[in-house]
Amino acid sequence: MKYYLVAGEASGDLHGANLMKALKAEDGAAVFRYFGGDKMEAEGGTLVKHYADMAFMGFTEVVLNLRSIFKNLRACKEDLIKWKPDVLILIDFPGFNIKIAEFAKANGIKVCYYISPKVWAWNQKRVLKIKKVVDHMFCILPFEVGFYREWGMEVDYVGNPLLDEIAQFTPDANFRRNHQLGDEKMIALLPGSRKQEIERLLPVMLSITENYPAYTFAIAAPPNFTEAYYHQFMGDKKVKLLFNHTYNLLHHAHAAIVASGTATLETALFKVPQVVVYKGGAISIAIARLLVKIKFISLVNLIANKKIVTELIQEDCNTEKVNGELNMIMEGAGRDTMLKQYDELLLLMGKPGASAKTARLISAYLK
């Protein structure tokens, strides 16, 4: 079979790579073409467009980059028609992917959607369009099954793919030595994979480092930026910069400050106490506060349906509050409570196998 995948950010690249691996186990003759990233490229096939050229965060940023977005949409549509895949597999990234689903459906291409758009968060009527343009939806959050059913759409719950990735992870025994990290306890800084996230969040994260002289701070950096890019924020601060070593860093971290997104759940699965932070453009946040109808922004709290980790959003994302919340989870009762609640979260999420289950379902639906 010919599989065309579209992932528009780092997390989608990770999940897309795992799904490709699982699809190869189901279909030994699988051929792949995709919008994605380095992890997907490592699984083979043809990378058409890297997610680094696609990920724009927030309403304002999207408007400012409309020309690039429309160019990418056009390129994807043209490539789909030219290649004629047996199935299109869309991975999250709804602003882009729902448009691609609509185009593919109109052109007779079967559409599978892996990792549901967060339509339950705002503008729930988008489900009506999804019902029309998506043949099979694969969800990774348990509560999404009931949500879609209320709108008359049956979906498959496959578990969470992060469990697969972490289950496959083997810690590097020489990690500390290779990166000259010493024996001090480490605090991980995960400022995100998008330029806008990094520029808004990393300065705040770095502003508290001097308050913890006994700890080593390390930034988890994705491969789509250079050392020089990060050093403009780091200055002369004693902070390590680690590219492509997020899981090794989390494996060794004592605590973390994390940009809201997939990384919050990864950090929880590694049982690292964390403070979640988020900053967007003023206009984007104002619009989001009017439209978004959920109690939490972090996946940890959303899945648990209660507050496990503190979320510092917009004006609350400042040096004083980040420092105060981090201090509360370094030792003592605050730390113990969060770790206990992480154990409860793991029970809710179940066992690994999301990628393999999704691949089996896709293969069955294609027969």
Side-chain angles (χ1 to χ4, degrees):
M1 291 285 185
K2 294 167 67 177
Y3 303 87
Y4 201 110
L5 296 88
V6 181
E9 50 199 347
S11 61
D13 177 38
L14 170 68
H15 302 321
N18 278 335
L19 181 58
M20 288 167 67
K21 189 180 299 181
L23 284 167
K24 285 188 286 187
E26 294 289 326
D27 177 4
V31 180
F32 300 103
R33 191 171 176 87
Y34 44 87
F35 280 40
D38 299 347
K39 289 182 171 63
M40 292 171 72
E41 192 169 23
E43 291 299 324
T46 302
L47 174 65
V48 179
K49 173 75 68 173
H50 199 286
Y51 70 77
D53 300 321
M54 298 172 63
F56 302 106
M57 183 180 71
F59 298 98
T60 307
E61 291 78 8
V62 167
V63 171
L64 293 174
N65 289 281
L66 279 176
R67 181 175 294 181
S68 294
I69 292 168
F70 284 130
K71 183 180 177 181
N72 290 336
L73 280 166
R74 186 167 60 251
C76 188
K77 291 174 181 179
E78 290 173 356
D79 202 48
L80 275 169
I81 294 301
K82 183 178 179 181
W83 201 57
K84 297 184 176 65
D86 294 295
V87 62
L88 169 67
I89 304 172
L90 304 169
I91 304 171
D92 201 359
F93 204 51
F96 188 93
N97 276 341
I98 292 176
K99 292 181 177 64
I100 294 299
E102 190 173 16
F103 175 83
K105 187 70 173 178
N107 285 276
I109 299 171
K110 189 174 288 292
V111 179
C112 290
Y113 211 122
Y114 180 44
I115 305 178
S116 165
K118 297 175 180 62
V119 288
W120 35 265
W122 68 282
N123 192 13
Q124 295 184 356
K125 289 184 178 179
R126 286 179 295 169
V127 177
L128 299 175
K129 172 174 275 192
I130 290 172
K131 284 174 63 177
K132 292 178 181 177
V133 301
V134 173
D135 295 295
H136 301 286
M137 175 69 74
F138 307 103
C139 296
I140 66 168
L141 300 173
F143 63 81
E144 291 176 328
V145 176
F147 168 79
Y148 275 101
R149 189 167 289 149
E150 288 177 1
W151 286 88
M153 183 177 178
E154 291 299 319
V155 301
D156 291 294
Y157 173 63
V158 294
N160 199 290
L162 285 180
L163 293 168
D164 299 24
E165 183 68 14
I166 292 171
Q168 296 165 13
F169 167 69
T170 301
D172 179 359
N174 299 313
F175 177 69
R176 282 185 176 270
R177 185 177 65 189
N178 290 344
H179 297 280
Q180 300 177 322
L181 292 168
D183 296 323
E184 297 173 339
K185 290 181 179 179
M186 287 199 295
I187 298 174
L189 305 179
L190 281 68
S193 60
R194 299 182 180 102
K195 187 170 181 284
Q196 294 99 331
E197 286 180 313
I198 296 167
E199 292 178 358
R200 289 180 178 130
L201 297 176
L202 187 54
V204 179
M205 293 179 175
L206 292 170
S207 70
I208 60 100
T209 57
E210 293 173 0
N211 297 328
Y212 299 87
Y215 292 83
T216 295
F217 283 81
I219 300 169
N224 48 309
F225 294 98
T226 64
E227 285 191 28
Y229 175 76
Y230 283 95
H231 280 295
Q232 67 179 309
F233 306 107
M234 294 162 63
D236 58 358
K237 291 183 181 294
K238 295 179 180 179
V239 179
K240 296 289 184 178
L241 182 61
L242 304 173
F243 287 90
N244 283 327
H245 286 292
T246 301
Y247 281 9
N248 274 304
L249 176 55
L250 288 174
H251 177 72
H252 288 275
H254 182 72
I257 308 171
V258 188
S260 178
T262 305
T264 63
L265 186 53
E266 291 173 308
T267 303
L269 293 176
F270 273 94
K271 297 188 178 180
V272 180
Q274 64 183 301
V275 179
V276 175
V277 294
Y278 182 81
K279 270 190 177 185
I283 296 174
S284 297
I285 289 292
I287 295 171
R289 283 174 169 163
L290 289 172
L291 298 178
V292 175
K293 306 300 180 185
I294 52 176
K295 292 185 290 184
F296 306 110
I297 63 167
S298 69
L299 285 173
V300 176
N301 293 342
L302 282 167
I303 293 170
N305 196 30
K306 67 178 182 180
K307 179 187 171 183
I308 293 179
V309 299
T310 295
E311 302 171 350
L312 298 177
I313 306 168
Q314 209 62 1
E315 59 272 10
D316 287 332
C317 180
N318 59 57
T319 302
E320 183 180 357
K321 289 196 173 183
V322 171
N323 185 73
E325 292 296 334
L326 180 64
N327 192 52
M328 288 176 63
I329 59 171
M330 295 299 285
E331 309 293 343
R335 180 180 184 86
D336 293 341
T337 298
M338 190 174 292
L339 290 172
K340 181 180 178 181
Q341 290 177 326
Y342 279 171
D343 290 335
E344 296 170 3
L345 180 74
L346 279 168
L347 290 175
L348 281 174
M349 293 185 64
K351 298 182 182 300
S355 302
K357 184 175 181 180
T358 304
R360 285 195 301 271
L361 287 169
I362 290 173
S363 296
Y365 288 139
L366 290 177
K367 289 178 182 176

